[in-house]
Structures are given as C-alpha cells and as structure tokens.
Amino acid sequence: MAAAAAVGRLEMAALAWLALSLAVVTAVDRSNFKTCDQSSFCKRQRNVEAGSSPYRALLESLQLSQDSMKIQLINEANKVPLLLELYGLKGNMTRIRINELNPLKPRYEVPDVLVQDPPTTRLSVTGRDDNSVELSLGEGNHKLILTAKPFRMDLLEGRELVLSVNSRGLLVFEHLRQRKDSFSDKVSSTVVSIWDRIKNLFSREPPKEPASEGEGAAEASDAPSSAEQESTEKTEQGEEAPKGASETEEEPGSWEETFKTHTDSKPNGPTSVGLDFSFPGVENVYGIPEHADYLRLRTTEGGDPYRLYNLDVFQYELYNPMALYGSVPVLLAHNPQRTLGIFWLNAAETWVDVTSNTAGKTLFGKMLDYMQGGGETPQTDVRWMSESGIIDVFLLLGPSPNDIFQQYASLTGTQALPPLFALAYHQSRWNYNDEEDVSTVDNGFDEHDIPYDVIWLDIEHADGKRYFTWDPNKFPRPREMLQGLAAKRRKMVSIVDPHIKVDSAYRIHNEIRSRDFYVKTKDGSDYEGWCWPGSAGYPDFTNPEMRAWWSSMFGYDHYEGSMENLYTWNDMNEPSVFNGPEVTMHKDAVHQGGWEHRDIHNLYAFYVQMATAEGQVKRSGGLERPFVLTRGFFAGSQRYGAVWTGDNAAEWDHLKISIPMCLSLALVGISFCGADVGGFFKNPEPELLVRWYQAGAYQPFFRAHAHMDTTRREPWLFGEENKALIRDAVRQRYALLPFWYTLFYHSYRTGQPVMRPLWVEYPQDATTYAIDDQYLLGDALLVHPVTAQGARGVQVYLPGKGEVWYDVHTHQKLHAPQTHYLAVTMSSIPVYQRGGSIVARKERVRRSSDCMYNDPYTLYVALGPQGTAQGELFVDDGHTFSFETKGQYLHRRFSFSGNTLTASSADPKGSFETPAWIERVVILGAGKPAAVFLKQKDVAESRLDFTHEAETSVLTIRKPAVNIGADWSISLR
Ligand SMILES: *[C@@H]1O[C@H](CO)[C@@H](O)[C@H](O)[C@H]1NC(C)=O
C-alpha cells in the first residue's frame, strides 16, 4: 500500500505530511520526490561535463599480483590519490574497484549481495609504453588497455573494442574531507593531519598530503625520472591548493541539504562517486529496474537520469525514469554481435544517464577509429552516479545473453525455486476483513469452480498493525482458519512489515528495543517515523544479530496462531516512512557499525526479505522452501522470493506496463515478478479486469490485489460471462503449472530468466529489440496478451527465420518470421508454442495446485520445421529442499525425431517416486500415421489409440499410461 492511501482512516489527519499527500489524489505528487537538480550530488556530478579526465594513472605505482592489478589514480585538480584494483574474474568478467587510497575513514562496501568471492583468473602485462599498459584478462581473448593520461580503460576482445571506461572523463570521486570554517572541524583537521604524518612515516604508499606526495610516489615505484619530475610539479600545485580543497566543497548542499521540510545533515560532507562507460556499436540498453518505463532504455538527454532509490511512490506515473520501490543496478547492452553487462555494486542513491550518438556524433576517440576504420559507429554511453560508497563495478562480457545471465548469477545467485503453490493463483485484497470473510471468499472459489491456492491478509488482520499478532475481534481463531484452508490444500499469506509500532505493551517492540536493534537517529536515539501503526521503529536489518532474531520470530512458538501453511508478505520495506524525506528514512539515520542510512538505503528491503525467508526455513527445521513477497529489492533479491510491481492502478496503461516492468526485472536475475491483477488503486471495468487476469495468468507471480477503497472484485462479482472468462484464464494457468515449475527450476539452476524479451532468444533479430508488448516463457511459449480496451485484434511478431509457431488454442501453424494479425474476442489470450518444443500440461484442473499434484500429464509436442522437438519436465515434492539435499527429483527429457518420441532422464543424479503418469500426447504438425506403438524397457511393444485431425495436422495419442519417471518411446509408423 502506498503511504497516503488510507490516511483518512488514520488518526494523523493533523500532520503536515498528510496535507501534502492529499493535495494530489489522482497521480503521483512529483514534488514529493527529488529531481536530479534537487539531489545535490546528482547535480554536482552532472555538472561535470564530458571532456578530458582530470585523472591520471600513476603507471609507476602499478602492482601486479596473481589475481589483481593495483594502480593509483591522481586527480590533477586536487591531488587526492585513489586506488584502482582490477580483477579478471572466471567466466569472462572483470571487476574494477576504485576507492580513496587513504580515506579519512572507511567508505561503505556492499556486503552480502555477492554469493561468494568471485574466483579470479590470472592477469598478465602484455604490453607497456610511456602512457599505457596492456593486460591480458586470462579468458576469452580479452585484453584491457589502461591509458594513464587522461585516465581511461578500454576492453578489447581480440582486436575489437568492446567497452571503454572513463572514455568521456566522467570519473568523479568526492573524497572524504574535513569541513572547513568551523572551529571544531579545524581542530579535528589538525589532528587528522598529524595522524596522517605519523602514518606516512610507516606507509610505503604515497600519502594523501600533497607536500610529501613526491617522496611517497618515488619510494613506491621504480621512479623513472619523468615520473619524479611530474610529482614535483604536482607538489607545487598542491601547495597552492590546500588539502582536500575542491570546487565542490563550497557548493550548497555539500554539507547539508534541505528538501521540502527535511534537512539532511551530512556529517561526512560530499562523498559521491561517478564513472562513465561507453559501448561502441551498441544502440540497445536494458535493465536498471525498477522504473515504470519501456523495456528498452531511452536516452536521458534533456531529462532526468534513471534513478535508483527505493521509494514508496504514491500512485506512480508511467513512462518516466523516477525511482520506484526497488533497485537493481545492472544494465545490459546489446547488439547483434554481443551482449554486455554492467553491475554497479553500490547501495546508495544512484542515478544513471544514458546517452547515444546515433545521431552520428561519435564521442569516441582514435582507438575506435583505428580499430574499426572510423565512420559513424553507433555508440551508447552510460554514466553512473552514486551518493556514497566506493566504485565497485563488474563488467560482464557475455558474449551471448545467456552468458550474461550466467555471469550475473555466478555473482549474486539465481532465482530461488518457489514452492509449487506459489506459482499458482493468489487472491488478495486490502483487506479480507475477518475469519468469516476469508471463509466466504474461500468457499466462493469452490462454488464458482475457480482454482486458487492462496488467500492473503493485509495490514488490517493484525492487532493495531502490530505484526506477528492477530486482531482479536476479527481473527480470534487464526489456527482454525489456517486449518480450514489446509483441509482444502490451500495456503495463506499474512503481511509482516518492517515498521514496528512503538508501544510498550507490544512484545516485538519491547524485544527489539531491549536488544538495541532499532536503527538510530544521527543523535543516537531510536529512529522513529510515522507509518501504518502510528509512531514506529525500524529494526536494523543490516545487523546479522537482528536478522537472526527476526527470523526466530517466525517460529511457531513465537508467531502465535501461525502454521505451516502461513507464508509472508514484506511490504513497505523501502523503507516507507510517511513523514520522512521522500516518504523514506532520513539519510543521516545510523545503522550498525556507524554506517549512515545513506550508504545502505537500497539494501534495506533485501535484508528484510532475507531475514523473513530465513525465518520460514528455520521454523521448518530447514526442510521447507519459503515463500516471501517483497516490494523493495536489490541485486540478489532473487534468492529470497518474489517481487511485485507495487501499487499500480486499474488503468489500461498499467496493465500494459506490467510486461516491460517484469521483463526488466527478469533480465537482472529477478524472475519471480508480477503486477497486482486488476490494478491496486481504482475500480477496473470488467473488460480491464478480464484482460488483466488473462495477462496475469501468463506472468510469473499471479496475484489479484486491490485497495481498501475499491469495490469488491472477487471473480464472480462481474456476471456469468466475465466469471467464465476469468475462470478460463486461471485454468490455463493451472494447466501450465508443470511448465512454469520446470522453467523456475531451470532458472534456479542456470540463472536464465523465466519470462524473456524476444531478443534474448533471437539476439540477431533487430526487430525484437524494442518489443515489450509480447515475450517468451522459456524458449517455448510466446505470449502477446491483449492490453488495449476494445481490442479486435493484435499484431503478433513471430520471430525466427525458417521457424514455425502454433497457436496453442487453435493449433494453427504459422511460419516465421512474420507479423501475424490475430483477430481477438474477449476470450482470446494469444499464446504460441514454438515449433521444436515440448510442453507438459496437467489438464484436469482442480481446486488448488496441491489437489492436482498426482494428476496425469499431457505432452504437447510442437514439431519444428525438421519434424523434431525437445522439452523438459522437472518434478519433485513441490515444497521441500529434498531436491537439493537428497537428490529427490525427476528431471525428464522428451525428444522427438525420426517419428519417435523418447522419454529419458535429463539428470541421472535425481530420482523421485510419483504416481503421476502420462494420459495423452498431442503432436502438433504431424501427419497421420498408420499405427502408433509404445515401447518400454522389458515390456512388449503395445499399440496405442490415436486420432488425427487432418485440417490442423494434430495427432492425439491416447493413454500411453506410462509413469512420468519411466523411460519409453512412442513411434509413429
Ligand atoms: C568467454 O568469451 C569467449 C569469447 O567471446 C566465449 O567463446 C566463451 O564462451 C565465453 N565464456 C563464458 C563462460 O562466458
């Protein structure tokens, strides 16, 4: 729920923030959120224009070890030295870290996001001259040329330039400094300066003091005479410019920044970092969610950069670069030859500029001209700017989209394999009012014969928004309620938000306070903000002890009334603070270790979901897989559950944008994504609701949800016709659950997205690059939901030269590539199966996914142009870690060629017993055989019944009745 949504119901009407929020009720109040110009560091960074970099690499300081290269960079303007570390990583990745050589105090480095210390490759120097060093990066014929002055780095594969760093000279690193013009600062400045001198006595590295830099540099290097001379020059300049001086220091906003009624004290002053990257030959860039924008990123020239700052944006607007609830600082660059990625590991407020020279102005220098003979090579430049921390960036070198997914997954992990039920349909609303309401809605699904798996309880279920409790009047018997659902093999999700009511009668609050687990204000007291419960504290989820405690609260003994079939929803975890700056936490609030909220902001939600998911695992003794939905997220959040696109609205454009929003997340590791079906705010007209169910049924996370002020919208409230349409959409989802589950398993194993932009499978087809009204599920299904009001048809682009696609409803065969016009009615959900694929379905749809668990399968074999097809199926118990810990799973492979369909194991490490069998095989694009035979090991060949429709070339083979885990073959003769 968005901050201001139900304020009328809260007794806070007198608060100033309320007036602000209510001023605009129909769309986002943009004035609540900063533009780049209003964010002092973004403005300072952006004021630095492309040109010659003031940085110079001190070649004489270069140190090469087994796995890294270290070199100092000096800013010629202020003489502050930086240390650059470069690593070649296994799997075609390069990591660049830039920090101050001698920061006044440590700068924040993001922990816990990487799943391991990335394994390195051996670097070697392969060339050197007065102004550059050439390094071999160990793998994939990749080389890096570091130019000393002006500092830049160019990454090559063979002789081809792939990516440049700081080629536009936009490396900006605001070093920590003492504030001038204040008595106490002067004193501490003197202390620091003395301390520095003492350190310098022992340090072999060039110290920060300009006066002694010449000595230091000479000492640390082979001291070629020219370097010595340069150092001397610098010293002279340095004496004129006192330590730490820079033009940024005097700028307003450097040491204190006011936005609306909030003042951000900046005890550390300006600390931002920025760097630019150039992609020669690239015109398509993607990623850096979360924004309500197109899939393909647009240039930001003349507007604001894309902003990454987790925020609770009330009624967000579409098609703009404003920040939303989550941030994944990963950008993909793509052209027909290769895909590249940049992972900017920084959790502070970040802005990303995208510029392009496609107009013909090449910003690139003579390197490109030399390598590629000049000319009008298209190029995209991106510039990253973060408020604090260090520069820690991973260059993912591909070259294919799948290589990028694997590379990124090796750094931050893959999508957690959800429990099967989580892929089914979820019914939510703010709020299901009481136990009776829950029971009525639950029964409604049975009466109207619509499957569903999970019913959700929003904030009103808790006792006065005290999470981990139940409202004693509305939910007096939660266990009975949960048992009732369990009897129907259904689940429940309750909301647990990270704002904790400040109330001395609330156990959770008291425990957090007594353990000193709350985030602190800059003055050291517990930070308090307004949120749903009124005054609330915010547990410090960056503290591992706090997280362990939080996890333990999900134990059945701690969370009273909870049961095995109760799962969790973490909302408002940006964190949302109604009366905070930009509706979030003050940047000068303090976390464990003394870090400012500024440093960790975009990580907060990541940690909330992590601790919650771990709590669910823990309560089951480590056996059961968790399900946690989160609104806020960061790189790596895929390891902990699902995300949704937050508080959207019942508008056609919101339905439409759910596709690029989830595709953008899928590209950066987060596959388990969905949007509130029906739209959160406002009341959808029936047509929109139906279309939303149809689209949602083919998106990874499928949940209907609605704001408290909307009229009820359970699927049976819109007349028989609409109910039937919704039922059909939901049933299509349930039939495809085996396929979804297999896709998620694949994603868990490989990092490949479940929902994919077309260009991921057709990287050379430029027609696909900007398509975001249709997408692929795995590589087998192409979905083009109807997202326009009153639509009579859709234009579906079917990719793949020489390929064929089959309409899954009519089985019509279509040749690709083509743009196919499909006439639609209200029942149409345009979905196509790729020729050459095999998809498993369960077509006896029941009350819930669990009820269908042992049901038989139907295999849909869609023959490709060569008359072949393959597909896979993953089966396990659907809810435990046994597939991982005990090898209890089936990973089956189906393959059709030479008129024979064969079932075999795709992975002999797994084994699993299931009674489920195959009841039907449907072969699309098949001629009529004379006979069909089934062959199993040690069993006599048997004839199978079949029917053949000549008009559509569909062969249906009935009752092979083989176990899904068995090896067999079916031949057409
Ligand atoms: C690394 O890059 C090379 C050359 O582009 C490519 O052939 C190889 O498959 C890549 N390896 C990985 C693990 O991505």
Side-chain angles (χ1 to χ4, degrees):
M1 291 142 292
V7 282
R9 240 167 259 96
L10 299 171
E11 292 157 5
M12 303 177 209
L15 292 167
W17 64 266
L18 177 59
L20 292 174
S21 306
L22 284 184
V24 174
V25 292
T26 52
V28 66
D29 184 354
R30 280 184 180 235
S31 74
N32 278 335
F33 303 100
K34 289 182 183 180
T35 61
C36 176
D37 250 8
Q38 291 166 323
S39 175
S40 78
F41 86 89
C42 186
K43 187 177 179 181
R44 287 197 306 277
Q45 290 262 347
R46 240 189 174 191
N47 279 343
V48 177
E49 286 176 15
S52 186
S53 176
Y55 280 93
R56 178 164 64 94
L58 305 179
L59 291 182
E60 64 276 15
S61 71
L62 188 145
Q63 291 179 344
L64 198 68
S65 67
Q66 275 278 350
D67 62 352
S68 74
M69 186 269 276
K70 292 190 176 138
I71 193 165
Q72 289 168 31
L73 307 177
I74 188 104
N75 183 331
E76 304 277 24
N78 64 18
K79 302 302 170 193
V80 177
L82 305 179
L83 179 67
L84 179 149
E85 295 168 82
L86 182 119
Y87 301 85
L89 302 183
K90 289 226 164 84
N92 293 343
M93 292 182 280
T94 301
R95 182 182 195 177
I96 298 164
R97 287 161 54 88
I98 303 177
N99 195 354
E100 292 178 54
L101 180 62
N102 295 304
L104 279 181
K105 57 183 191 178
R107 299 177 65 116
Y108 191 67
E109 298 176 26
V110 174
D112 299 316
V113 167
L114 300 180
V115 288
Q116 59 173 350
D117 274 339
T120 54
T121 58
R122 185 182 283 254
L123 296 175
S124 54
V125 172
T126 48
R128 199 165 186 158
D129 66 19
D130 281 357
N131 195 36
S132 66
V133 181
E134 186 194 271
L135 293 161
S136 154
L137 296 175
E139 274 181 7
N141 198 14
H142 289 111
K143 261 190 254 168
L144 183 133
I145 296 172
L146 183 150
T147 305
K149 187 176 177 175
F151 164 67
R152 63 181 285 162
M153 294 192 287
D154 295 284
L155 233 149
L156 291 84
E157 187 184 317
R159 289 173 60 83
E160 189 190 350
L161 181 64
V162 166
L163 165 63
S164 302
V165 181
N166 201 38
S167 58
R168 291 191 300 151
L170 297 173
L171 168 60
V172 176
F173 205 108
E174 294 180 333
H175 60 283
L176 294 166
R177 64 201 73 185
Q178 295 296 325
R179 189 172 192 172
K180 293 157 78 187
D181 308 320
S182 97
F183 175 73
S184 64
D185 285 338
K186 272 186 188 145
V187 172
S188 60
S189 169
T190 311
V191 172
V192 169
S193 143
I194 292 168
W195 169 239
D196 273 356
R197 280 165 198 282
I198 295 169
K199 265 202 310 193
N200 293 345
L201 290 175
F202 299 98
S203 167
R204 292 185 53 80
E205 291 175 321
K208 173 168 15 1
E209 283 284 330
S212 49
E213 188 178 84
E215 275 165 52
E219 214 174 82
S221 71
D222 301 340
S225 58
S226 66
E228 220 166 302
Q229 203 181 334
E230 275 175 31
S231 300
T232 315
E233 278 164 26
K234 273 183 307 178
T235 305
E236 280 158 11
Q237 283 171 19
E239 272 162 358
E240 272 155 34
K243 170 179 154 35
S246 93
E247 58 282 18
T248 65
E249 200 154 352
E250 270 67 50
E251 272 185 37
S254 292
W255 288 91
E256 193 172 85
E257 181 171 342
T258 299
F259 178 66
K260 304 195 91 170
T261 57
H262 297 282
T263 298
D264 174 16
S265 76
K266 296 189 177 179
N268 297 317
T271 58
S272 74
V273 298
L275 187 57
D276 70 272
F277 303 85
S278 295
F279 298 105
V282 168
E283 290 178 276
N284 308 288
V285 287
Y286 305 92
I288 50 170
E290 182 177 36
H291 301 99
D293 206 354
Y294 298 102
L295 172 65
R296 184 165 69 167
L297 300 176
R298 297 185 283 174
T299 71
T300 55
E301 277 159 295
D304 258 4
Y306 286 96
R307 189 184 190 198
L308 295 172
Y309 192 56
N310 295 2
L311 291 175
D312 180 1
V313 180
F314 178 65
Q315 297 198 343
Y316 60 81
E317 253 178 60
L318 307 186
Y319 303 109
N320 73 55
M322 286 173 72
L324 285 177
Y325 313 95
S327 300
V328 184
V330 175
L331 178 138
L332 272 60
H334 179 73
N335 71 15
Q337 286 76 47
R338 69 170 74 247
T339 312
L340 298 161
I342 291 181
F343 172 27
W344 175 266
L345 181 51
N346 187 304
E349 178 185 346
T350 295
W351 298 78
V352 186
D353 259 321
V354 176
T355 51
S356 147
N357 74 336
T358 315
K361 267 193 202 158
T362 176
L363 295 166
F364 203 68
K366 54 187 177 193
M367 174 80 61
L368 180 63
D369 288 350
Y370 170 69
M371 296 292 173
Q372 300 183 340
E376 307 272 89
T377 308
Q379 176 169 317
T380 300
D381 301 310
V382 295
R383 173 187 197 172
W384 297 73
M385 302 167 277
S386 293
E387 189 177 11
S388 66
I390 65 165
I391 292 174
D392 190 358
V393 60
F394 296 81
L395 308 178
L396 317 181
L397 303 176
S400 74
N402 276 336
D403 293 332
I404 295 287
F405 301 137
Q406 269 173 37
Q407 286 155 8
Y408 181 62
S410 77
L411 299 173
T412 66
T414 60
Q415 177 67 56
L417 178 64
L420 177 61
F421 80 82
L423 296 177
Y425 172 64
H426 302 255
Q427 181 68 32
S428 183
R429 151 166 208 95
W430 178 24
N431 215 84
Y432 286 119
N433 299 321
D434 51 28
E435 289 171 5
E436 198 189 327
D437 196 6
V438 167
S439 157
T440 308
V441 171
D442 178 63
N443 288 328
F445 278 90
D446 299 329
E447 275 161 37
H448 299 281
D449 194 22
I450 300 169
Y452 98 103
D453 268 57
V454 194
I455 187 161
W456 290 54
L457 295 182
D458 208 323
I459 51 172
E460 313 299 331
H461 85 278
D463 182 10
K465 282 90 176 176
R466 294 169 186 86
Y467 307 109
F468 301 102
T469 72
W470 305 83
D471 183 303
N473 298 312
K474 300 176 194 158
F475 295 93
R477 287 172 295 271
R479 281 186 144 263
E480 277 174 41
M481 171 176 66
L482 287 163
Q483 272 155 1
L485 291 167
K488 289 189 181 174
R489 302 165 80 170
R490 288 179 178 145
K491 329 283 177 195
M492 176 170 263
V493 166
S494 64
I495 198 163
V496 177
D497 286 351
H499 49 255
I500 302 299
K501 187 176 176 69
V502 174
D503 169 6
S504 58
Y506 178 27
R507 182 177 62 96
I508 298 283
H509 164 70
N510 289 336
E511 288 208 29
I512 297 173
R513 175 165 280 182
S514 70
R515 289 171 155 81
D516 205 22
F517 281 159
Y518 278 126
V519 176
K520 299 284 184 276
T521 65
K522 65 178 167 32
D523 304 317
S525 55
D526 285 351
Y527 179 93
E528 281 181 24
W530 282 98
C531 209
W532 295 124
S535 192
Y538 290 77
D540 185 2
F541 283 90
T542 69
N543 178 351
E545 285 172 39
M546 153 60 210
R547 292 200 300 273
W549 174 84
W550 178 267
S551 296
S552 71
M553 288 302 104
F554 290 88
Y556 300 118
D557 47 343
H558 286 290
Y559 190 169
E560 275 171 44
S562 70
M563 276 186 31
E564 295 81 353
N565 64 337
L566 182 66
Y567 295 85
T568 314
W569 172 16
N570 292 148
D571 194 5
M572 312 294 278
N573 55 356
E574 295 76 24
S576 179
V577 181
F578 293 167
N579 60 339
E582 303 191 80
V583 202
T584 191
M585 188 171 276
H586 293 70
K587 283 178 170 171
D588 54 11
V590 180
H591 293 261
Q592 194 220 18
W595 298 109
E596 285 190 280
H597 186 68
R598 179 186 334 278
D599 299 313
I600 70 97
H601 176 82
N602 285 345
L603 268 183
Y604 190 82
F606 165 90
Y607 278 131
V608 174
Q609 193 189 18
M610 173 197 279
T612 305
E614 284 172 3
Q616 281 184 16
V617 175
K618 225 187 260 185
R619 74 176 183 181
S620 74
L623 298 178
E624 297 285 327
R625 308 207 297 262
F627 172 70
V628 182
L629 178 73
T630 182
R631 192 170 69 183
F633 52 82
F634 190 67
S637 289
Q638 67 268 17
R639 310 200 295 264
Y640 305 112
V643 309
W644 93 109
T645 61
D647 299 345
N648 60 1
E651 290 168 11
W652 288 94
D653 274 350
H654 275 267
L655 165 58
K656 211 170 156 163
I657 208 147
S658 66
I659 301 170
M661 286 180 81
C662 282
L663 285 174
S664 294
L665 278 161
L667 287 175
V668 299
I670 300 179
S671 265
F672 204 2
C673 169
D676 282 350
V677 168
F680 177 69
F681 293 112
K682 304 186 181 171
N683 295 306
E685 56 191 305
E687 182 188 355
L688 175 57
L689 185 66
V690 168
R691 290 301 191 200
W692 214 316
Y693 268 97
Q694 294 174 339
Y698 286 88
Q699 290 179 7
F701 177 59
F702 183 26
R703 182 187 74 152
H705 185 52
H707 188 280
M708 187 181 240
D709 290 343
T710 60
T711 47
R712 295 290 286 235
R713 51 166 101 134
E714 287 70 54
W716 48 88
L717 299 175
F718 299 85
E720 282 303 314
E721 209 171 308
N722 291 313
K723 179 178 86 180
L725 292 168
I726 292 171
R727 177 198 291 134
D728 180 55
V730 177
R731 289 171 69 94
Q732 288 189 34
R733 172 58 164 237
Y734 276 73
L736 271 175
L737 282 175
F739 173 70
W740 280 103
Y741 197 54
T742 303
L743 287 182
F744 268 89
Y745 175 71
H746 196 68
S747 187
Y748 162 78
R749 279 279 181 235
T750 67
Q752 279 182 46
V754 167
M755 181 180 177
R756 300 176 190 167
L758 267 60
W759 65 261
V760 165
E761 291 297 322
Y762 299 91
Q764 272 145 30
D765 182 354
T767 318
T768 62
Y769 295 165
I771 291 181
D772 60 10
D773 57 356
Q774 59 177 61
Y775 56 91
L776 296 163
L777 293 177
D779 60 6
L781 295 186
L782 184 150
V783 186
H784 186 126
V786 180
T787 56
Q789 185 174 21
R792 289 162 176 250
V794 290
Q795 300 278 357
V796 184
Y797 180 65
L798 299 169
K801 197 159 190 270
E803 291 197 29
V804 294
W805 293 86
Y806 299 84
D807 182 315
V808 301
H809 308 294
T810 64
H811 301 150
Q812 185 194 0
K813 179 175 171 177
L814 295 154
H815 290 271
Q818 68 160 309
T819 300
H820 169 68
Y821 178 80
L822 177 76
V824 299
T825 64
M826 270 317 290
S827 66
S828 303
I829 314 180
V831 179
Y832 298 84
Q833 186 173 342
R834 188 180 188 167
S837 68
I838 300 177
V839 168
R841 295 172 187 253
K842 284 191 174 181
E843 298 192 313
R844 306 184 188 190
V845 173
R846 298 173 200 272
R847 212 163 52 199
S848 73
S849 64
D850 202 31
C851 297
M852 296 163 61
Y853 179 71
N854 287 328
D855 277 358
Y857 293 87
T858 297
L859 299 182
Y860 281 81
V861 180
L863 297 185
Q866 319 311 331
T868 60
Q870 5 272 330
E872 291 180 9
L873 177 69
F874 174 76
V875 182
D876 75 340
D877 62 26
H879 59 96
T880 74
F881 287 107
S882 299
F883 77 102
E884 221 176 38
T885 56
K886 300 182 187 158
Q888 290 179 357
Y889 63 94
L890 293 174
H891 187 184
R892 306 296 302 162
R893 172 168 297 133
F894 307 107
S895 164
F896 189 96
S897 70
N899 275 328
T900 303
L901 176 65
T902 311
S904 59
S905 174
D907 178 358
K909 288 194 292 296
S911 68
F912 185 68
E913 301 265 314
T914 166
W917 52 287
I918 298 174
E919 64 175 340
R920 205 180 296 118
V921 175
V922 180
I923 305 182
L924 311 180
K928 184 177 182 178
V932 176
F933 291 92
L934 170 70
K935 176 84 186 111
Q936 276 183 283
K937 200 169 172 233
D938 305 327
V939 180
E941 200 171 61
S942 60
R943 267 181 106 109
L944 297 176
D945 285 349
F946 67 90
T947 56
H948 185 261
E949 279 178 57
E951 202 186 323
T952 51
S953 300
V954 176
L955 174 68
T956 303
I957 301 167
R958 299 189 49 237
K959 287 213 178 138
V962 280
N963 187 278
I964 196 70
D967 291 350
W968 48 263
S969 64
I970 289 176
S971 42
L972 318 183
R973 294 185 196 150

